[in-house]
Amino acid sequence: MAPGLLPVRDVPRASDAARAAALDSINRSSSLRLGWLWEWAKIFQFAVVLFLLVRAFLVEAYKIPSGSMEGTLLVGDFLLVNKLVYGAEVPLTGQHLPRLRAPARGEVVVFQWPSDTRKNFVKRLVGLPGDTLAMRGGTLYVNGEAQEERYVTHTEPGTDPTYEDFRWQRGHVVRTASAAAPAAGFDSLDAAGAIAGAERNPGDHPSRNNWGPLIVPAHSYFVLGDNRDNSLDSRYWGFVPDSLLRGRPMVVYYSYAPDSARRMAWLTAVRWSRLGVRVR
């Protein structure tokens, strides 16, 4: 040993087997972490696809934005809408699945607004294809019979305005009592004249509470809001093509008072009594 140098001790070295075991342990831990993330990623992707399928074909959420259905539905109600019942639309194709059944008169329906299909409306279906509809003094007549609509509310019962929006009706009005009788199912011309107005047809000057008779075309529907004095509905813009029906509301799954003065009204102004209410 050279002068001034300290002796060098042998440093124990790990065997090849020990090093291999350590590397294997590290790799296994990394693989477990990556495998866990990959499993969660697959679950997330599946959940997203499932959500999109359910939303497209089965059930969709809808919020009530206006008071046109007040008495039945309130502003701030959140609905679950059954899209399958009337034949859900296949996204990006314009085609519809076979419907489970045809819409029925008196049902509440969600549909695309014919004047702007980007917007969805909810109203009550009152006229089916071939029906003859009229309104006299705010009372709805379907095929010559006055309807007892207990769900209807009137916020302005003393007024009956006439708007330019109603002018579209003139092209669909049954002009004579003799024409109205068979179309509406009246037993006599006298009965038809009582609705159509043999001398003066209200269809010539339609107003909010007095119009018709109108015959609903094939593959179309006529809808009205339950809040009859404050509803933008078929009286104003016409019939709803059946291709625009999106579904039938089933239940109110959440509701709050959006006009509440409370902070965070969506959480502090919940209408607990409306949760779970069925839409009829």
Side-chain angles (χ1 to χ4, degrees):
M1 181 173 63
L5 295 179
L6 296 175
V8 178
R9 298 178 178 177
D10 292 335
V11 178
R13 300 179 62 185
S15 66
D16 292 341
R19 289 199 303 272
L23 290 174
D24 184 64
S25 176
I26 294 172
N27 292 334
R28 191 162 50 244
S29 298
S30 178
S31 297
L32 287 174
R33 286 195 296 270
L34 293 176
W36 178 82
L37 290 174
W38 175 239
E39 288 300 321
W40 272 105
K42 289 193 294 184
I43 292 173
F44 177 75
Q45 292 173 4
F46 176 77
V48 170
V49 172
L50 182 62
F51 169 77
L52 294 176
L53 289 175
V54 169
R55 186 178 184 274
F57 299 112
L58 298 179
V59 177
E60 185 174 357
Y62 179 81
K63 178 185 177 182
I64 298 297
S66 73
S68 66
M69 287 293 290
E70 283 193 355
T72 302
L73 299 171
L74 305 178
V75 177
D77 281 352
F78 288 74
L79 314 176
L80 289 179
V81 178
N82 182 341
K83 300 181 67 174
L84 192 61
V85 63
Y86 300 145
E89 181 180 357
V90 180
L92 305 178
T93 67
Q95 302 298 315
H96 289 255
L97 299 177
R99 61 178 56 172
L100 300 182
R101 63 171 179 80
R105 191 185 298 114
E107 289 183 341
V108 178
V109 296
V110 174
F111 57 93
Q112 294 172 284
W113 186 26
S115 299
D116 184 354
T117 56
R118 294 172 299 178
K119 299 179 180 179
N120 292 331
F121 278 15
V122 56
K123 306 289 180 186
R124 192 174 297 274
L125 193 156
V126 300
L128 300 173
D131 282 347
T132 298
L133 306 177
M135 185 170 283
R136 298 294 178 263
T139 298
L140 177 67
Y141 288 80
V142 179
N143 298 329
E145 296 184 3
Q147 304 298 297
E148 185 179 356
E149 301 177 290
R150 298 180 180 178
Y151 41 78
V152 168
T153 61
H154 292 279
T155 55
E156 301 175 356
T159 62
D160 185 23
T162 299
Y163 300 115
E164 286 297 309
D165 294 342
F166 297 144
R167 292 174 63 89
W168 71 269
Q169 297 183 14
R170 297 180 181 179
H172 297 269
V173 172
V174 179
R175 293 294 176 180
T176 65
S178 58
F186 290 105
D187 294 331
S188 67
L189 295 183
D190 291 338
I195 301 303
E199 296 182 359
R200 175 186 175 276
N201 193 332
D204 292 335
H205 303 281
S207 61
R208 188 181 66 196
N209 299 332
N210 292 276
W211 47 266
L214 310 173
I215 298 179
V216 182
H219 311 296
S220 299
Y221 302 99
F222 197 93
V223 297
L224 294 174
D226 287 355
N227 185 356
R228 290 291 159 81
D229 300 338
N230 185 26
S231 174
L232 182 65
D233 49 39
S234 284
R235 293 173 294 184
Y236 295 80
W237 38 258
F239 307 103
V240 178
D242 59 2
S243 61
L244 297 185
L245 288 185
R246 292 187 60 84
R248 181 186 178 191
M250 299 183 296
V251 66
V252 178
Y253 72 89
Y254 182 74
S255 180
Y256 77 101
D259 57 349
S260 173
R262 304 177 188 176
R263 296 183 60 184
M264 299 178 66
W266 60 273
L267 186 60
T268 60
V270 179
R271 302 187 185 108
W272 296 104
S273 63
R274 291 196 59 76
L275 272 59
V277 170
R278 293 184 61 188
V279 181
R280 301 179 183 274

